Amino acid sequence: MKRLFWLGVGVVTGVVLSRKAAETARQATPAGLASNLGDAVRELAGAVGSFGAEVRAGMNEREQELHDMVEERSGVAAPRAEGRHAAARRPVRRARRAEG
């Protein structure tokens, strides 16, 4: 009975190690490396996008705090920009050249 038990443990261990070795070998191929690299790049892009969103949210929150502080101290409502870089989207008026 003991021998049968240890035979079963050996077979299961052999199967698990064989599958693990096959997976490791697959990951070492160019296709496996490209897949791992693609996953890493996607994860990095998601993290950068998330970080950017958090920075923008923090900027908007701080801008709101500053507007509230200006209104509180001066009693005058500060003009609020509509979205990011609203002043940069306004049309630029250029001086006309004097024709002569």
Side-chain angles (χ1 to χ4, degrees):
M1 193 67 167
K2 276 184 173 180
R3 289 182 183 177
L4 188 59
F5 170 76
W6 288 112
L7 177 66
V9 168
V11 168
V12 169
T13 303
V15 169
V16 168
L17 290 177
S18 174
R19 289 186 181 191
K20 187 86 163 165
E23 178 62 24
T24 302
R26 187 199 65 77
Q27 288 180 353
T29 64
L33 292 173
S35 174
N36 290 342
L37 181 61
D39 292 343
V41 169
R42 273 190 293 279
E43 185 177 334
L44 178 62
V48 168
S50 171
F51 175 74
E54 289 179 17
V55 168
R56 283 189 298 277
M59 288 172 44
N60 289 336
E61 183 179 328
R62 180 64 178 148
E63 184 178 5
Q64 181 64 40
E65 290 172 3
L66 292 173
H67 279 288
D68 293 344
M69 188 185 313
V70 167
E71 289 177 4
E72 179 182 310
R73 291 185 180 179
S74 68
V76 177
R80 297 182 188 267
E82 295 174 7
R84 193 170 103 182
H85 304 296
R89 289 190 297 241
R90 291 186 196 138
V92 177
R93 294 184 183 171
R94 298 185 181 181
R96 294 184 183 181
R97 291 185 187 176
E99 295 178 20

